[in-house]
Each structure stands twice: as C-alpha cells, then as structure tokens.
Amino acid sequence: MKEIVLHDKTFVPFIANDEIEKAIDSVAARLNAKYKGTGEIPVILCLLNGALMFTASLMRRLEFNVDLASMKVSSYAGTQSTGNVRIVREPTTDLKGRHVIICEDIVDTGNTMVFMDKYLKEQGAASMEICIMLLKPDVYDKPVKLDYVGMEIPNRFIVGYGLDYDELGRNYPDIYVLKQ
Ligand code: IMP
Ligand code: MG
C-alpha cells in the first residue's frame, strides 16, 4: 500500500482490505444468527454512495432472503460534517411495515442516523436496525442504538472502501487516513 493523492490532499494507508473483510465477516455472522431460518425478509437499505462497497460485501455473506433498497442522503462537505442532513434520492421500495436494516459506511456525529430513525418512523417501517462498517466512538454522542458495528476507529478523516473526499477515493479496496 502506498499513499494516494485526492484533489489537494495526501492520504496514507490505515486499514488493510483483509482487516475490513474480517470485520464484515463478523457483522454478517451476527445477521445470519438473527435472521437465518426465521422466514423474515428484511429490507437492506444501502445509503449511497458511501455504503455501496460495504453493502455489496456484506450481502454476499447473508444466508437468508433480503430485499435491497437504496437511498441517498448527504451531510458532508470536504472533510467536515455540515450537521445538516438532506435527502438527495428517496428509496423506490415501499418501507411501510417492513423490517429495515440500514447499511452505512461510517457513523461520525450520528446526525445521519438520527435523521434516518425519524425518516423510517415517518415511512411506517415495522422496525429499524443499524448496520455500519465503521464507527468513530469519540465523536458519536446520539441516543440511537447502533446494532452492528464492524470496527471502531479514532476521530480521523479516512477514505477508501466506498468512503470519499469530495467524491474521490471510493474505489480503493484499502482504507487511507489524511496525512497529518
Ligand atoms: P454523521 O452524520 O456525522 O454520522 O456522518 C455520517 C456520514 O459522513 C457518512 O455517511 C459519511 O458519508 C461521512 N463521513 C463521516 N466520516 C467520514 C470520513 O472520515 N471520511 C469520509 N466520509 C465520512
Ligand atoms: Mg455516507
């Protein structure tokens, strides 16, 4: 792994792909333990674009039937959360009465999850579970329960495995951190 340059910033290797995949293995095992054999068909709600890679990787490991839906919400500008979450694209699947598993790349302030909690209640979802690849526990201070967490990381700005810096960096299979 070498450093990468995205726009005006340099990022250095931080989490290798095999470590990420191992974290996703354990999240998938917990979902399989809960849903396999129950006959329940939950909706996997992928939050685009960041959770695309995580959702694809996770879904390949699920051993029960799922519906896949996606929506796009936005709150970040550059390397900072704006604190203002807005819907860029609504899901096309009706979530009313459904058990929804939100798939998200990373939880930072938690503003996005607070927004999603309210949104899914408004949509009449039967239940909501949150499944995230990464958590910044030093920043997260919201009461919303995070049901499945792949890995905890320090409060640093990262890219790769779906995560971006102003839309660049999503394609790299490893995770990189902003060079200090
Ligand atoms: P929150 O609403 O503050 O929890 O932020 C969640 C969203 O911010 C995630 O879906 C990411 O899109 C973005 N985000 C948070 N931290 C990072 C980071 O370190 N790199 C890239 N995007 C991030
Ligand atoms: Mg995101």
Side-chain angles (χ1 to χ4, degrees):
M1 282 162 74
K2 286 206 194 90
E3 46 181 54
I4 54 171
V5 177
L6 307 173
H7 301 295
D8 57 334
K9 299 196 192 307
T10 302
F11 294 82
V12 296
F14 190 52
I15 308 171
N17 178 265
D18 61 337
E19 227 186 298
I20 305 165
E21 300 294 341
K22 263 188 244 155
I24 299 174
D25 277 341
S26 76
V27 168
R30 290 182 56 206
L31 283 164
N32 285 330
K34 168 150 187 186
Y35 287 98
K36 199 175 164 183
T38 62
E40 188 65 60
I41 302 179
V43 179
I44 300 281
L45 180 57
C46 171
L47 298 189
L48 297 172
N49 291 325
L52 184 74
M53 283 227 214
F54 171 53
T55 306
S57 185
L58 179 70
M59 278 186 64
R60 279 198 288 260
R61 293 160 161 89
L62 299 182
E63 296 161 358
F64 53 92
N65 293 337
V66 295
D67 267 344
L68 174 63
S70 62
M71 72 184 283
K72 192 167 179 181
V73 294
S74 176
S75 68
Y76 247 63
T79 63
Q80 292 290 322
S81 169
T82 63
N84 206 333
V85 185
R86 64 193 174 89
I87 295 181
V88 179
R89 198 184 323 130
E90 297 253 10
T92 52
T93 304
D94 186 5
L95 302 174
K96 193 173 165 58
R98 304 297 305 270
H99 294 284
V100 178
I101 302 171
I102 295 176
C103 279
E104 173 64 315
D105 51 0
I106 187 165
V107 168
D108 182 33
T109 63
N111 290 328
T112 307
M113 290 304 118
V114 169
F115 178 89
M116 288 306 301
D117 182 50
K118 183 164 168 274
Y119 175 80
L120 288 181
K121 280 175 184 146
E122 284 164 7
Q123 298 302 305
S127 71
M128 173 184 90
E129 285 196 299
I130 295 176
C131 181
I132 65 175
M133 179 168 69
L134 302 164
L135 171 66
K136 293 181 187 171
D138 299 338
V139 191
Y140 184 65
D141 62 354
K142 304 295 187 294
V144 179
K145 183 170 172 246
L146 306 173
D147 302 276
Y148 308 91
V149 178
M151 213 186 279
E152 295 190 347
I153 61 161
N155 183 19
R156 307 271 302 273
F157 187 77
I158 58 162
V159 296
Y161 211 91
L163 290 119
D164 72 305
Y165 165 49
D166 276 346
E167 297 306 325
L168 296 187
R170 296 193 196 277
N171 53 301
Y172 295 96
D174 303 299
I175 287 179
Y176 296 77
V177 67
L178 183 61
K179 196 172 180 175
Q180 285 176 325

